[in-house]
Amino acid sequence: MSELDFMRRAIELSRLNATSAGGGPFGAVVVQAGRIVGEGANRVVPDHDPTAHAEIVAIRAACRTLRSHVLDGCVIYTSCEPCPMCLGAIWWARIGEIVYGNDRVDAAAAGFDDDVLYREMAAPLDERRLPLRRMSADEARAAFELWLANPDRVAY
Ligand SMILES: [Zn+2]
């Protein structure tokens, strides 16, 4: 399969979703060494899961396929530029490259305004729309101290 095939598969998944009563019009595939190891379409509404964006669904599938939480050397092809949540998940999965079709402006025109989240993340904490309050920092820190003292921890 070629790179174009991978992108076309991501777009096909998005198109299938767009015409069903299921999830939103988004699809993604994760590719390793020239083969698809995971794919997904948006499942937010049918799964009652606000985190079930296409990229997240594809990452979960790829991790199951490879039996690993690390997707080093993989490329994700997604029908739309990832939102900040998916960008974070892609980062944590250590995927090496993102290839996308629609961009955030296209998404906003279709009713999915990711740009508001990008702006929120760039704003100082005290200027964000979603309030953040810190509480019990000293108690919470104990988990990190236990973690650092655990010789069996798996770093990731
Ligand atoms: Zn997303």
Side-chain angles (χ1 to χ4, degrees):
M1 291 180 79
S2 74
E3 185 172 60
L4 186 57
D5 294 322
F6 300 137
M7 178 52 86
R8 283 185 172 155
R9 177 59 182 154
I11 292 170
E12 179 181 34
L13 290 163
S14 74
R15 290 176 57 159
L16 289 170
N17 251 25
T19 54
S20 74
F26 303 93
V29 300
V30 175
V31 173
Q32 182 191 58
R35 75 180 179 110
I36 294 174
V37 293
E39 63 177 38
N42 180 289
R43 298 282 310 164
V44 168
V45 173
D47 288 357
H48 315 297
D49 181 355
T51 70
H53 288 192
E55 298 95 324
I56 304 276
V57 175
I59 286 169
R60 288 175 178 156
C63 288
R64 280 194 302 272
T65 299
L66 300 176
R67 302 178 63 79
S68 173
H69 61 280
V70 176
L71 299 176
D72 270 337
C74 291
V75 178
I76 189 164
Y77 295 83
T78 175
S79 66
C80 187
E81 180 184 357
C83 75
M85 175 181 70
C86 292
L87 184 63
I90 291 164
W91 183 273
W92 285 118
R94 296 192 220 149
I95 287 173
E97 187 179 11
I98 302 165
V99 183
Y100 65 92
N102 291 308
D103 68 11
R104 69 182 75 175
V105 177
D106 302 318
F112 301 95
D113 189 3
D114 295 345
D115 200 48
V116 68
L117 268 179
Y118 277 107
R119 287 195 304 272
E120 175 87 345
M121 293 175 71
L125 293 186
D126 60 355
E127 294 177 18
R128 292 190 182 175
R129 289 168 50 182
L130 183 65
L132 288 90
R133 291 187 300 117
R134 193 167 192 196
M135 178 183 279
S136 304
D138 289 341
E139 290 178 47
R141 189 175 302 113
F144 287 155
E145 290 163 0
L146 289 167
W147 169 258
L148 290 171
N150 179 357
D152 299 323
R153 71 180 183 270
V154 177
Y156 61 92

